[in-house]
Amino acid sequence: MQAPQARAFLVVMDSVGCGAAPDAGAFFNGTRPDTGANTLAHIAAACSEGRADQGRSGPLRMPVLDGLGLGAAVRLASGAEMPGFCAEPRGLWGAATEVSRGKDTPSGHWELAGVPVPWEWSYFPDAEPAFPPELSAEVARLAGTGGILGNCHASGTEIITRLGEEHLRSGWPICYTSADSVFQIAAHEQAFGLERLLALCAALAPRLHAMKVGRVIARPFVGAPGSFARTANRHDYAIAPPAPTLLDWVAGAGRRTHAIGKIGDIFSMRGISDLHKGANDAALFQHLMALAETAEPGSLTFANFVEFDSLYGHRRDVAGYAHALEGFDAAAGHFLARLRPGDLAIFSADHGNDPTWTGTDHTRERVPVIGWGRGLRAVGQVAFTDVAASVATHLDIPALGPGRSFL
């Protein structure tokens, strides 16, 4: 057990998977199973072969996290070699496997925080219309409109390009979904109104949560036809975790908890003392850097960096994903240099999103578990829930979930 002044930083690199999970064959992108997906290894291979030279060039370079054990974690998880990732690990390293029946944001984050999902999520069919008539009618009633637009599976950027002008003309909200358990509503911040959009999503969320749909997501945008752009005012209305999570454990012990980025939405603000938001991952990393200096003794900082997933994974942009990984690795070095003796930092992920893969959906993968603050420690193959148990052990508080500490 650590002294009460020990601090913990749990950093989720959204979608940075490291090899297909044992049950990947039961998860699909279209008709193709996720067997063989490997976000990190496939990006590294593309870089080494000169297939990811837009905006960057050459082999993938992540010396900070590789120095802790990232390349070793990928080899452990999948047997795949990462070209250029040959450092002897100096930190804590391993790979984690999920048991929840989903490859989505809430499932991965909740399980990392000690709570596997005990139910099957509901999904909307990839058909048009995608939504039951009574649900579409309820959205229109709550919005005060004659109907809805979209009613299909779609990319968020594509659908506002396609339907934004009709939205401005009709005033009807644009509703769409994906392979995730989500219901998304896009609307123009000025013409429809941001507060009106947020109120609509908040009013609709209880109905969707009762259906075991994981999230209702407000997707505001601005601009005119030909130049529509989503804004940073996205808000997720997520179903609440089914049991107390790591955040609740820490708060219940009288400690401070800091949530960076989407963590507040994902955990419905439960167990969170302070929320730190930003327009993009660069702004969120500034919060992480500041908290390395100012976070209280005994506190937990839980961060999500979403742009690997939202900007590059779903869009199958290998070069963009590689560039983001390299930028994150450089920033991670500056963050680690600010930590104090006794601190623990763990870098992990919630699922995969292999940008070389078929389709646009997440991929079912194991995730790396890379740590600073405990010296060299090979933890092997662990469970997602073991991450929460280990953070609790470091903070010297009871671990109330099913995980086992690897510290």
Side-chain angles (χ1 to χ4, degrees):
M1 296 291 184
Q2 295 297 295
Q5 66 266 22
R7 304 181 303 171
F9 298 81
L10 177 54
V11 180
V12 177
M13 302 178 293
D14 203 300
S15 85
V16 182
C18 62
D23 59 357
F27 296 81
F28 293 83
N29 266 264
T31 60
R32 184 185 185 186
D34 289 343
T35 309
N38 194 325
T39 300
L40 278 167
H42 288 166
I43 292 171
C47 291
S48 71
E49 295 164 7
R51 295 185 286 111
D53 285 349
Q54 299 78 33
R56 60 162 307 281
S57 64
L60 183 67
R61 300 175 183 88
M62 299 179 65
V64 174
L65 293 185
D66 186 36
L68 293 176
L70 183 60
V74 174
R75 290 191 290 274
L76 172 69
S78 64
E81 291 292 333
M82 296 264 286
F85 283 64
C86 53
E88 284 295 323
R90 300 189 305 273
L92 180 153
W93 64 276
T97 305
E98 185 176 11
V99 299
S100 299
R101 291 289 300 166
K103 52 176 180 175
D104 54 88
T105 295
S107 295
H109 282 79
W110 293 356
E111 197 166 322
L112 285 172
V115 180
V117 180
W119 56 67
E120 294 279 349
W121 295 107
S122 294
Y123 303 91
F124 295 108
D126 191 359
E128 292 191 34
F131 309 127
E134 59 274 16
L135 178 59
S136 300
E138 178 66 3
V139 178
R141 185 189 71 80
L142 291 170
T145 59
I148 66 171
L149 301 175
N151 204 341
C152 60
H153 281 235
S155 154
T157 52
E158 178 275 330
I159 201 167
I160 62 172
T161 298
R162 177 164 55 90
L163 296 178
E165 187 171 3
E166 186 177 351
H167 165 72
L168 291 178
R169 182 172 60 251
S170 67
W172 292 10
I174 302 170
C175 302
Y176 63 103
T177 188
S178 70
D180 281 357
S181 180
V182 295
F183 188 95
Q184 305 192 69
I185 306 178
H188 198 278
E189 282 198 359
Q190 285 81 46
F192 189 89
L194 176 60
E195 293 306 318
R196 182 183 173 199
L197 172 61
L198 297 177
L200 169 60
C201 291
L204 185 65
R207 178 174 183 145
L208 272 296
H209 294 167
M211 297 166 60
K212 291 297 185 283
V213 173
R215 290 175 291 164
V216 176
I217 305 178
R219 290 286 199 173
F221 64 95
V222 295
S227 60
F228 291 125
R230 297 198 296 196
T231 76
N233 292 319
R234 162 184 171 159
H235 190 83
D236 292 29
Y237 296 84
I239 191 170
T245 72
L246 173 64
L247 288 160
D248 298 303
W249 311 347
V250 177
R255 312 286 186 81
R256 301 291 294 183
T257 59
H258 297 275
I260 298 176
K262 290 170 52 179
I263 299 299
D265 292 341
I266 295 166
F267 290 90
S268 301
M269 287 302 297
R270 281 188 9 192
I272 294 172
S273 308
D274 300 285
L275 179 63
H276 309 266
K277 301 281 278 187
N280 50 40
D281 277 4
L284 296 178
F285 213 99
Q286 291 306 307
H287 289 304
L288 183 63
M289 295 282 280
L291 286 165
E293 302 275 8
T294 64
E296 302 83 356
S299 65
L300 168 66
T301 296
F302 196 168
N304 169 278
F305 293 94
V306 71
E307 289 180 353
F308 303 112
D309 185 58
S310 62
L311 296 186
Y312 309 113
H314 287 299
R315 300 181 190 183
R316 299 307 192 242
D317 180 352
V318 180
Y321 206 131
H323 188 262
L325 286 170
E326 291 172 332
F328 182 88
D329 187 76
H334 295 296
F335 160 66
L336 294 176
R338 296 189 178 200
L339 296 182
R340 306 169 187 166
D343 288 343
L344 172 69
I346 292 180
F347 300 88
S348 191
D350 51 345
H351 50 70
N353 200 348
D354 187 339
T356 72
W357 210 246
T358 302
T360 61
D361 188 21
H362 297 148
T363 41
R364 177 72 165 185
E365 297 185 45
R366 286 176 165 141
V367 300
V369 177
I370 306 299
W372 178 98
R374 284 302 187 98
L376 173 60
R377 183 182 293 259
V379 302
Q381 296 275 10
V382 300
F384 273 41
T385 53
D386 294 345
V387 173
S390 301
V391 171
T393 294
H394 179 79
L395 294 176
D396 196 12
I397 64 171
L400 305 177
R404 300 179 64 180
S405 175
F406 47 68
L407 297 183

